[in-house]
Amino acid sequence: MQSALQHASHHFPDYVQELIDLLKIQSISTDSAYAGEVRRCAVWMADHMKAIGINKVEVMDTPGHPIVYGEHLVDPSKPTVLVYGHYDVQPPDPLDLWESDPFEPIIKEDGRIVARGSSDDKGQVFIHLKAIEAYLKTDGVPPLNLKFIIEGEEESGSVNLTPFIEKHKELLKADVVVISDTSMFARGVPSITYGLRGLAYVEVKLTGPDRDLHSGMYGGGIHNPLNALAKMIAGLHDEDHQVTIEGFYDNVLDLTQEERDTFAALPFNPAEWAASVGVDVTKTEGEYTAYEGTSARPTLDVNGIWGGYQGEGAKTVLPSYAGAKISMRLVPNQQPDEITAKIKAYFEANVPPTMKLEFKDLHGGKGAIVDTKHPAMQAAAKALEDTYGKKPFFTREGGSIPVVAEFKEILGIDTVLMGFGLDEDAIHSPNESFGQDRFREGILSAIRFLSHYAETPA
């Protein structure tokens, strides 16, 4: 391990330049105009994996964008780690808000690499390639068996990933998954995510009259769909900001007192956190704290609402229809299909007789939670402690990575979420960046993780 650590430190400038080359590829998976660039990125990743010495690499086609698979098997008696990541990126729009070309990476004075995909997820998945390279260039072999699955559709729904995993269960057989597509709690505060929320996403539409009407001629006699939908949405929460849908909390896995004590010890200031997004006070569910509410409690939020006139000035219409998109973040044990059925039942029970309801189930995913005592979690904790000189926190995140639950259901293995991002990285936003300090720390941590986990008793 020591020789690998020294090699990585000595060659870090080379790693940065290689990452810059990767970031120049416009692998925007959601836009078909960039399909050629997405494939070029997959080939680049595969060629790079071969060049650093990984002994089996393949670009595997799917009905959509290709998946890059790699493996380096050294000893069947050793554990096998499956590294997951994605090489595709979000569209860079709006371009006018970027300080530089999103696909011409620049390095800021503070060391941040600014480019689309720098943090999400090219920079973070590259950490693991550099970790195995450090072993291959020094010891000749990594301390355990490694497999890689790097997809090209994460930013466009991963529609072909689950069928790929189901089809290749034997190929992907491993003891644990490692993903670096999450964040640290704060700069210099190492953390490991052990819980993610799931998601249920729906769209509703109420239609009243068959066209927009003059509000002076029809107002007071025809029910306004926007008014009706606003009332239905308002009824989704009570005064304690709890969701009122019948059975919504039935299967919720609540926080333990140990978890609440751990979260309370985190260096989290809710007032500063709220102020960072221009808000004066937080709004939470009951007696839960803002951190608990955003990481480990189920939520319901309206993501968009439309209908009627929205242009400049006034237009006195009674709209024909009103629509809304609603997402629900779910905690482990809540099932997306069950929650979707329950919110559908709520709208069907409350739709006025003056309206027609349309309901769409857009998509969903299950939450996940991993035992912090899992040997791989403990190996990751030791690796981070060695790198940062302090014990990491075990945290939960409010976002969703559906593949974590799918790895558990299909392959029967847990996932270590060892991310090195920060909120300031501005993923999915203009001027996305990734600090070279965290790129380096991530590589050193990944090297140490492989060594520590290799020592786990069979």
Side-chain angles (χ1 to χ4, degrees):
M1 178 174 69
Q2 290 305 316
S3 57
L5 292 168
Q6 291 169 5
H7 181 90
S9 296
H10 180 72
H11 289 275
F12 183 72
D14 300 329
Y15 298 168
V16 172
Q17 185 55 56
E18 291 165 350
L19 176 57
I20 287 173
D21 292 341
L22 173 60
L23 293 170
K24 290 180 179 181
I25 304 175
Q26 302 181 50
S27 50
I28 304 168
S29 62
T30 194
D31 188 339
S32 60
Y34 291 89
E37 283 288 277
V38 176
R39 176 166 287 275
R40 185 165 77 91
C41 193
V43 171
W44 190 100
M45 292 289 290
D47 288 346
H48 187 77
M49 291 165 71
K50 294 173 186 175
I52 65 176
I54 296 175
N55 60 20
K56 180 181 178 181
V57 181
E58 185 176 355
V59 176
M60 304 180 73
D61 286 328
T62 75
H65 298 302
I67 287 173
V68 181
Y69 174 78
E71 68 177 35
H72 201 97
L73 308 180
V74 296
D75 186 343
S77 69
K78 293 289 187 180
T80 299
V81 171
L82 174 62
V83 176
Y84 164 85
H86 63 93
Y87 63 84
D88 65 318
V89 300
Q90 281 275 321
D93 311 74
L95 290 172
D96 60 324
L97 295 183
W98 281 81
E99 298 174 356
S100 56
D101 187 321
F103 294 104
E104 287 296 333
I106 64 169
I107 297 179
K108 304 286 282 187
E109 290 183 1
D110 60 5
R112 287 181 298 120
I113 304 170
V114 180
R116 174 57 88 225
S118 53
S119 179
D120 183 23
D121 179 43
K122 290 179 178 177
Q124 296 213 60
V125 74
F126 212 54
I127 282 170
H128 296 282
L129 294 181
K130 297 298 99 179
I132 187 174
E133 178 181 356
Y135 276 110
L136 293 172
K137 299 296 185 183
T138 54
D139 299 341
V141 293
L144 42 61
N145 305 301
L146 278 159
K147 296 181 179 181
F148 293 86
I149 177 173
I150 307 174
E151 68 156 321
E153 296 181 336
E154 197 274 346
E155 301 292 9
S156 53
S158 295
V159 293
N160 293 295
L161 182 60
T162 300
F164 181 90
I165 297 171
E166 290 174 336
K167 182 179 179 180
H168 297 95
K169 286 190 287 188
E170 189 62 30
L171 181 70
L172 300 174
K173 187 176 180 181
D175 294 288
V176 73
V177 182
V178 173
I179 298 177
S180 293
D181 194 14
T182 53
S183 297
M184 300 168 57
F185 185 79
R187 185 180 299 280
V189 183
S191 57
I192 299 169
T193 302
Y194 72 94
L196 294 165
R197 292 193 290 196
L199 179 69
Y201 201 120
V202 305
E203 179 181 314
V204 295
K205 181 181 179 182
L206 289 183
T207 301
D210 60 8
R211 63 188 184 277
D212 286 357
L213 304 174
H214 188 294
S215 65
M217 297 173 63
Y218 292 93
I222 299 294
H223 200 173
N224 186 316
L226 271 171
N227 292 353
L229 183 60
K231 181 177 180 181
M232 295 170 78
I233 289 173
L236 288 167
H237 291 92
D238 64 17
E239 292 300 315
D240 282 334
H241 204 54
Q242 287 196 317
V243 177
T244 59
I245 296 171
E246 185 176 354
F248 184 79
Y249 295 98
D250 282 355
N251 299 315
V252 168
L253 183 64
D254 204 356
L255 287 161
T256 66
Q257 190 58 49
E258 181 182 1
E259 286 177 308
R260 300 192 76 176
D261 291 343
T262 298
F263 293 169
L266 290 167
F268 177 78
N269 184 311
E272 292 179 358
W273 174 78
S276 70
V277 292
V279 175
D280 293 330
V281 295
T282 61
K283 178 70 172 178
T284 64
E285 172 204 350
E287 298 301 317
Y288 290 97
T289 67
Y291 182 79
E292 291 169 345
T294 57
S295 65
R297 291 294 297 169
T299 64
L300 185 153
D301 287 291
V302 176
N303 306 118
I305 189 167
W306 63 91
Y309 179 67
Q310 298 178 42
E312 184 177 353
K315 183 180 182 183
T316 52
V317 296
L318 191 157
S320 169
Y321 63 85
K325 293 184 187 290
I326 301 171
S327 66
M328 291 152 287
R329 296 288 178 173
L330 313 178
V331 296
N333 289 3
Q334 285 185 300
Q335 302 302 312
D337 54 346
E338 293 179 4
I339 295 299
T340 297
K342 288 174 180 178
I343 191 172
K344 182 181 182 182
Y346 168 86
F347 278 101
E348 289 175 340
N350 289 280
V351 62
T354 52
M355 302 286 162
K356 295 177 182 178
L357 172 70
E358 294 178 53
F359 183 94
K360 294 181 181 179
D361 175 6
L362 297 183
H363 62 84
K366 296 179 181 179
I369 196 160
V370 180
D371 185 353
T372 59
K373 301 296 192 297
H374 189 293
M377 296 287 274
Q378 291 298 307
K382 189 174 189 306
L384 290 174
E385 183 176 2
D386 290 347
T387 298
Y388 289 92
K390 60 183 75 172
K391 289 183 179 296
F393 287 97
F394 285 105
T395 60
R396 289 168 70 168
E397 285 197 9
S400 306
I401 305 179
V403 72
V404 173
E406 290 168 0
F407 280 134
K408 182 67 173 179
E409 290 187 356
I410 301 170
L411 301 181
I413 53 177
D414 287 311
T415 298
V416 175
L417 292 159
M418 188 169 63
F420 299 91
L422 290 174
D423 289 346
E424 68 189 44
D425 291 347
I427 65 171
H428 294 201
S429 299
N431 306 306
E432 179 183 351
S433 66
F434 191 43
Q436 288 185 73
D437 54 346
R438 286 173 286 122
F439 184 39
R440 180 195 296 271
E441 292 158 2
I443 295 167
L444 300 180
S445 297
I447 290 170
R448 290 179 168 122
F449 167 76
L450 297 178
S451 178
H452 293 329
Y453 187 50
E455 297 169 358
T456 301

